[in-house]
């Protein structure tokens, strides 16, 4: 092989990297798309002819060919903290006071105020200047590896020229920032999804988070993600200030949002926050606030962090965005539990990065309280995570002949009788076979976080229920016997049906906790399902358990245990479980590798405040050692761990003669067995 090929490849790569930087980071391209494509094609050709010269940091290697099977957990070397929120002037002054109280009087405090980008946080690791891995924030301690997807973001360098910043030691460093989608790209993506009758994303943040978790990097690459970096952490380098950190990120070729400002007082900070709120609508990406950081890293260290947030930084959250629009109609939606909720059908209006045409009205009481009438001009609001809601009515614009709305008399979907339980605000459809309830249960069952059946979304469920292919959850696993009929459905075709049938088969390996969540027992969220399956070995054990035993599971309350008992008292539900068992779903708890220690099989109750860890973390350590944690003291309890201010549980333990230990003895017990 001639040296010149190697050189040519190197040259092409450097040219492309430079153009990528100009285009994606600076937004100032100096070459036409056509000529850029020519460079890429030429490089691809040379690399195909000389495969031994392909390196992972070549621009041709951004988009991987393989699907990501699983997003593996990655433990962050340094935890990814989150920010506590402030909402007004007073909160900001309080923050400033706390900062100053913790520092000595002679210290001058300077703040950096940055935009709070509304996307998904990411951490990327570089070793010897090369992009290695990328991870989501996760719970702050452990995230998920999304390397192949982040690699497709072209504003992120795959290789960094460290010679540009000789004064720093940067052999092993991490950069952190916020991945986001520009509003225009988000809107185009939704238009495309609408034309394919796919579910729309609610806002740019959701579409960013959803895209980062796609299995196919090719689709990720087509979604035009971007990232603003705000922090660089080097294993063997210390910086003086956040400002220096931002400058370094920029010098290394990362995209840094340059709207940040240095402020010498909290009054200045407030002015900048207000200014950011004013320019919010002029930006082509979404922000939901400002982030205020103590500039000096030395001061940041003195301030440290409490729980999961630093004491040296806060978020200043903007007020929810509001808009005026006309209420065209009030419709009633039936959910999977039969609850009938009113929905405001609105004249479409733009708000916080998306077009809103529906908003929740919560329940009939709320409609009455706010006296909301069809034809009214209403104020709608959208906070950070929430679905848009109707805040109030503009009474001065009310038409003379307007009439108050009545609650529905029958189920709007199946015409069955409706009822209103005492102490509840909602009306319910009494017919469990109501198609809206069936569809709701199926949507919940197939959703991500439950059985995670890719491709089985709202639209397809609607279609399958309407065409009579599915009536019950268990029918999903019988669809494979109807392949011949399914592929005849217009718009579906063989390939998509086979993908769906494969996804259905794959869902059979979901763990028991997800299955328990998916079957939709009232009040059992994903967290409760996990706690219940950690405690019980199988569904059979849950079915026979009495309410008291279920309530004894740590953090499981009486409404959940009552609901479980009620669910299984219905023979139809027991039959459903039998059918799902036959289809091969998991109804047995995963056997964790249980260490044989002195704590194996011992039952603990934790009460009062512990000073070395939260009760949750303490419980996790007991479970790791093979023990169990329950919430109520009985004669079956082996140890009651009494922290500070322990109350009734301690007295009960004493009266039953159960062994009580304090935190020191508890720690000793854990350490002896770990
Ligand atoms: S600093 C310890 N700066 O907001 C400091 N965060 O809870 C932690 N975010 O998920 C974050 N823009 O991803 C910081 N300029 C900015 C930010 C920012 C957006 C996100 C971040 C985190 C959340 C804060």
């Amino acid at each position: 092989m001639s040296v010149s090929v190697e050189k040519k490849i190197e040259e092409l790569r450097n040219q492309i990297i430079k153009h990528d930087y100009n285009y994606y980071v600076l937004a100032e391209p100096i070459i036409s798309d056509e000529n850029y494509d020519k460079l890429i094609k030429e490089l691809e050709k040379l690399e195909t002819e000389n495969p031994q010269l392909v390196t992972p940091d070549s621009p041709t290697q951004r988009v991987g060919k393989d699907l990501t099977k699983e997003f593996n957990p990655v433990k962050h070397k340094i935890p990814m903290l989150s920010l506590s929120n402030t909402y007004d002037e007073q909160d900001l002054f309080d923050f400033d006071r706390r900062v100053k109280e913790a520092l000595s009087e002679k210290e001058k405090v300077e703040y950096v105020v940055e935009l709070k980008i509304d996307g998904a946080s990411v951490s990327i690791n570089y070793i010897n200047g090369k992009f290695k891995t990328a991870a989501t924030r996760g719970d702050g301690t452990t995230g998920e590896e999304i390397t192949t997807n982040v690699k497709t973001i072209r504003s992120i360098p795959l290789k960094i020229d460290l010679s540009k910043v000789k004064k720093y030691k940067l052999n092993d460093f991490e950069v952190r920032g916020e991945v986001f989608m520009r509003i225009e790209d988000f809107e185009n993506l939704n238009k495309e999804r609408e034309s394919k009758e796919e579910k729309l994303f609610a806002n740019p943040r959701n579409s960013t988070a959803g895209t980062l978790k796609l299995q196919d990097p090719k689709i990720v690459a087509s979604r035009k993600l971007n990232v603003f970096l705000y922090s660089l952490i080097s294993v063997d380098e210390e910086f003086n200030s956040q400002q220096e950190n931002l400058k370094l990120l920029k010098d290394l070729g990362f995209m840094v949002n340059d709207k940040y400002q240095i402020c010498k007082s909290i009054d200045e900070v407030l002015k900048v926050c207000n200014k950011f709120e004013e320019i919010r609508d002029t930006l082509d990406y979404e922000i939901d606030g400002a982030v205020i950081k103590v500039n000096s890293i030395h001061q940041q260290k003195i301030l440290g962090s409490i729980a999961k947030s630093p004491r040296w930084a806060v978020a200043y959250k903007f007020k929810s965005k509001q808009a005026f629009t006309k209420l065209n109609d009030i419709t009633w939606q039936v959910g999977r539990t039969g609850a009938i909720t009113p929905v405001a059908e609105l004249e479409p209006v733009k708000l916080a990065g998306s077009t809103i045409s529906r908003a929740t009205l919560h329940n009939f009481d709320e409609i009455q309280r706010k006296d909301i009438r069809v034809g009214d001009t209403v104020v709608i609001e959208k906070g950070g995570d929430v679905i848009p809601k109707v805040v109030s009515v503009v009474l001065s614009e009310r038409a003379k002949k307007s009439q108050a709305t009545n609650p529905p008399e029958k189920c709007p979907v199946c015409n069955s009788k409706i009822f209103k339980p005492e102490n509840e605000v909602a009306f319910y459809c009494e017919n469990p076979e109501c198609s809206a309830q069936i569809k709701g249960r199926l949507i919940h069952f197939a959703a991500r976080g439950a059985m995670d059946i890719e491709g089985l979304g709202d639209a397809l469920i609607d279609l399958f229920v309407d065409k009579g292919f599915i009536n019950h959850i268990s029918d999903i696993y019988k669809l494979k016997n109807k392949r011949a009929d399914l592929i005849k459905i217009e718009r579906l075709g063989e390939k998509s049906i086979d993908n769906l049938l494969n996804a259905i088969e794959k869902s059979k390996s979901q763990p028991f906790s997800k299955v328990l969540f998916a079957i939709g027992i009232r009040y059992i969220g994903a967290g409760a399902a996990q706690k219940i399956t950690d405690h019980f070995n199988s569904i059979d054990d849950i079915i026979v358990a009495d309410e008291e035993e279920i309530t004894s599971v740590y953090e499981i309350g009486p409404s959940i245990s009552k609901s479980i008992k009620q669910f299984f008292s219905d023979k139809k539900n027991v039959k459903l479980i039998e059918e799902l068992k036959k289809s091969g779903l998991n109804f047995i708890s995963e056997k964790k590798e249980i260490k044989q220690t002195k704590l194996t099989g011992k039952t603990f109750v934790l009460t009062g405040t512990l000073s070395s860890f939260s009760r949750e973390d303490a419980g996790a350590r007991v479970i790791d050692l093979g023990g169990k944690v329950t919430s109520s003291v009985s004669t079956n309890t082996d140890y009651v761990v009494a922290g500070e201010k322990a109350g009734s549980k301690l007295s009960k333990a004493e009266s039953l003669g159960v062994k009580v230990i304090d935190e020191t003895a508890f720690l000793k017990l854990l350490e002896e067995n770990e």
Side-chain angles (χ1 to χ4, degrees):
M1 179 205 23
S2 67
V3 179
S4 66
V5 175
E6 243 183 298
K7 253 188 132 170
K8 181 75 197 158
I9 286 185
E10 182 67 19
E11 217 179 275
L12 279 167
R13 284 182 188 161
N14 286 339
Q15 278 184 43
I16 293 169
I17 289 172
K18 226 179 166 154
H19 290 309
D20 278 347
Y21 178 73
N22 287 330
Y23 186 95
Y24 293 103
V25 179
L26 302 180
E28 286 166 2
I30 51 161
I31 184 178
S32 70
D33 289 359
E34 200 186 343
N35 286 339
Y36 176 85
D37 288 343
K38 269 192 200 148
L39 293 176
I40 294 269
K41 289 237 161 66
E42 200 180 337
L43 176 61
E44 276 171 354
K45 183 166 169 273
L46 289 178
E47 287 185 348
T48 318
E49 287 164 4
N50 304 279
Q52 74 285 8
L53 295 181
V54 180
T55 55
D57 55 30
S58 168
T60 58
Q61 303 303 301
R62 282 203 180 262
V63 187
K65 288 181 196 68
D66 299 334
L67 294 188
T68 314
K69 286 200 194 75
E70 247 171 298
F71 295 97
N72 293 322
V74 230
K75 198 157 172 82
H76 298 299
K77 272 193 224 153
I78 299 160
M80 286 183 83
L81 302 177
S82 57
L83 297 169
S84 45
N85 290 329
T86 59
Y87 296 92
D88 55 27
E89 200 174 304
Q90 191 53 50
D91 290 350
L92 273 186
F93 291 159
D94 288 347
F95 164 68
D96 181 54
R97 185 182 35 78
R98 287 195 303 271
V99 165
K100 290 186 175 147
E101 275 170 8
L103 299 173
S104 79
E105 260 171 47
K106 62 179 191 304
E107 301 258 3
K108 281 228 158 6
V109 181
E110 233 178 35
Y111 294 109
V112 183
V113 186
E114 297 168 18
L115 295 183
K116 185 166 184 297
I117 314 295
D118 199 7
S121 39
V122 70
S123 180
I124 312 169
N125 176 228
Y126 285 83
I127 308 241
N128 297 326
K130 303 231 162 102
F131 177 110
K132 279 285 169 259
T133 53
T136 62
R137 176 174 179 275
D139 63 4
T141 312
T142 310
E144 285 178 299
E145 202 202 309
I146 47 167
T147 307
T148 38
N149 287 350
V150 172
K151 231 178 146 178
T152 67
I153 305 176
R154 304 190 84 95
S155 62
I156 295 178
L158 297 182
K159 197 169 78 176
I160 286 178
D161 186 0
L162 293 176
S163 66
K164 283 197 282 191
V165 284
K166 285 214 184 76
K167 78 175 225 218
Y168 294 108
K169 293 196 245 27
L170 295 174
N171 293 333
D172 183 352
F173 70 87
E174 252 175 68
V175 290
R176 290 179 177 179
E178 194 83 351
V179 184
F180 66 98
M181 197 178 273
R182 293 191 193 280
I183 297 171
E184 192 187 343
D185 294 328
F186 155 75
E187 284 174 348
N188 287 337
L189 172 64
N190 259 356
K191 269 186 211 138
E192 189 191 314
R193 290 174 76 83
E194 196 172 8
S195 69
K196 291 197 218 151
E197 291 186 35
E198 286 172 350
K199 197 170 175 199
L200 302 189
F201 287 114
N203 51 44
R205 174 172 21 93
N206 286 5
S207 63
T208 303
T211 302
L212 285 175
K213 295 296 295 292
L214 286 173
Q215 290 179 308
D216 187 347
K218 272 201 231 61
I219 307 182
V220 180
S222 71
R223 290 269 179 98
K224 300 197 178 150
L225 293 178
N226 253 304
V227 59
F228 281 128
L229 284 311
Y230 51 71
S231 164
L232 187 149
I233 309 163
S234 168
V235 167
D236 25 41
E237 188 64 75
E238 303 238 316
F239 304 102
N240 290 317
S241 68
Q242 167 65 3
Q243 189 180 14
E244 181 188 7
N245 204 302
L246 291 169
K247 280 198 176 128
L248 173 62
L249 280 165
K250 194 169 175 181
D251 290 345
L252 290 173
F254 290 101
M255 200 157 100
V256 173
N257 189 294
D258 57 9
K259 297 229 170 340
Y260 68 86
Q261 301 219 346
I262 312 294
C263 297
K264 299 218 178 305
S265 70
I266 201 70
D267 291 319
E268 265 184 59
V269 168
L270 184 65
K271 276 196 194 119
V272 173
C273 289
N274 289 334
K275 194 181 92 191
F276 282 174
E277 192 158 7
E278 272 167 34
I279 62 159
R280 182 180 192 186
D281 287 332
T282 66
L283 302 172
D284 64 358
Y285 45 86
E286 284 282 330
I287 57 171
D288 59 342
V291 181
I292 299 108
K293 302 174 182 174
V294 168
N295 194 14
S296 149
I297 308 272
H298 162 73
Q299 291 176 353
Q300 287 184 5
K301 286 205 174 127
I302 297 175
L303 287 156
S305 8
I306 10 167
K308 288 183 173 173
S309 353
R311 261 191 287 238
W312 49 265
V314 277
Y316 176 82
K317 297 279 273 191
F318 295 153
K319 288 172 199 68
S320 301
K321 283 191 181 179
Q322 293 193 333
F324 293 94
T325 190
K326 197 176 152 208
L327 176 67
N328 287 333
D329 199 4
I330 293 176
T331 55
W332 298 88
Q333 193 169 293
V334 184
R336 71 181 160 97
T337 59
I340 304 174
T341 38
V343 178
E345 305 288 344
L346 306 163
E347 195 61 38
V349 59
K350 275 208 149 184
L351 178 63
S354 44
T355 304
I356 314 290
S357 51
R358 305 181 93 199
T360 176
L361 287 166
H362 301 293
N363 51 58
F364 184 68
D365 285 5
E366 168 130 335
I367 298 182
Q368 276 189 316
R369 197 160 24 88
K370 293 184 177 165
D371 188 20
I372 299 169
R373 302 181 186 189
V374 173
D376 278 347
T377 298
V378 289
V379 181
I380 59 163
E381 183 177 284
K382 200 173 156 203
D385 298 315
V386 293
I387 333 169
K389 61 176 183 190
V390 174
V391 187
S392 59
V393 171
V394 185
L395 282 174
S396 58
E397 292 191 23
R398 170 167 284 172
K400 281 204 184 86
K401 280 188 287 180
S402 72
Q403 274 189 354
T405 300
N406 292 318
E409 284 167 3
K410 286 185 172 167
C411 169
V413 176
C414 72
N415 242 347
S416 302
K417 276 199 194 132
I418 62 175
F419 66 99
K420 187 167 180 280
E422 248 178 80
N423 307 327
E424 280 208 41
V425 279
F427 290 92
Y428 285 83
C429 160
E430 66 165 25
N431 169 22
E433 300 301 313
C434 167
S435 71
Q437 290 193 47
I438 294 176
K439 284 176 186 171
R441 287 196 291 268
L442 289 163
I443 291 168
H444 170 80
F445 183 82
R448 199 181 267 173
M451 297 309 281
D452 199 6
I453 306 178
E454 213 181 314
L456 192 56
D458 305 12
L460 215 49
I461 287 174
D462 263 355
L463 188 77
F464 286 169
V465 173
D466 293 343
K467 287 196 181 286
F469 285 110
I470 306 183
N471 274 315
H472 298 284
I473 287 172
S474 52
D475 295 338
I476 294 178
Y477 294 95
K478 295 174 193 152
L479 281 176
K480 61 180 176 196
N481 306 326
K482 298 180 182 162
R483 183 180 178 278
D485 295 321
L486 294 173
I487 58 175
K488 284 191 213 134
I489 303 177
E490 218 183 313
R491 285 192 296 114
L492 290 182
E494 267 184 73
K495 191 155 176 263
S496 63
I497 290 296
D498 285 338
N499 286 344
L500 176 68
L501 294 176
N502 284 336
I504 292 175
E505 281 309 293
K506 200 178 126 208
S507 75
K508 292 182 181 171
S509 57
Q510 286 293 78
F512 179 29
S513 61
K514 304 255 177 186
V515 180
L516 184 66
F517 169 58
I519 55 178
I521 304 174
R522 217 161 166 212
Y523 305 132
I524 301 204
Q530 184 68 58
K531 284 174 189 130
I532 293 165
T533 54
D534 278 348
H535 181 95
F536 291 100
N537 288 328
S538 68
I539 193 86
D540 298 332
D541 288 357
I542 299 176
I543 294 175
V544 296
D546 57 24
E547 268 183 48
E548 201 184 347
E549 183 174 3
I550 304 173
T551 319
S552 78
V553 178
Y554 189 51
E555 289 187 338
I556 296 296
S559 52
I560 291 183
S561 51
K562 224 183 227 107
S563 168
I564 292 179
K565 288 295 9 150
Q566 207 167 16
F567 184 85
F568 289 114
S569 67
D570 185 340
K571 289 216 171 62
K572 277 201 248 79
N573 290 329
V574 178
K575 194 169 154 236
L576 167 72
I577 304 293
E578 285 313 314
E579 295 212 21
L580 293 179
K581 268 189 192 167
K582 270 192 226 141
S583 296
L585 271 65
N586 264 322
F587 283 104
I588 308 249
S589 297
E590 272 174 7
K591 282 282 158 276
K592 287 179 222 94
E593 219 184 290
I594 298 175
K595 279 193 205 164
Q596 284 301 322
T597 70
K598 265 199 242 153
L599 306 193
T600 308
K602 297 274 188 278
T603 303
F604 283 72
V605 172
L606 309 171
T607 181
T609 315
L610 302 173
S611 62
S612 350
F613 34 33
S614 67
R615 282 217 296 265
E616 203 160 79
D617 290 347
R621 279 176 70 176
V622 170
I623 291 164
D624 266 356
L625 294 171
K628 281 186 184 175
V629 182
T630 64
S631 54
S632 54
V633 181
S634 73
T635 46
N636 294 330
T637 312
D638 295 293
Y639 294 94
V640 168
V641 180
E644 247 179 73
K645 298 202 191 109
S648 63
K649 290 182 192 174
L650 175 59
S651 355
K652 184 158 182 203
E654 280 161 354
S655 69
L656 291 176
V658 172
K659 189 167 177 144
V660 177
I661 56 175
D662 65 8
E663 186 170 351
T664 322
F666 176 55
L667 273 171
K668 200 162 154 240
L669 193 64
L670 292 176
E671 277 157 18
E672 279 168 5
N673 287 286
E674 275 168 347

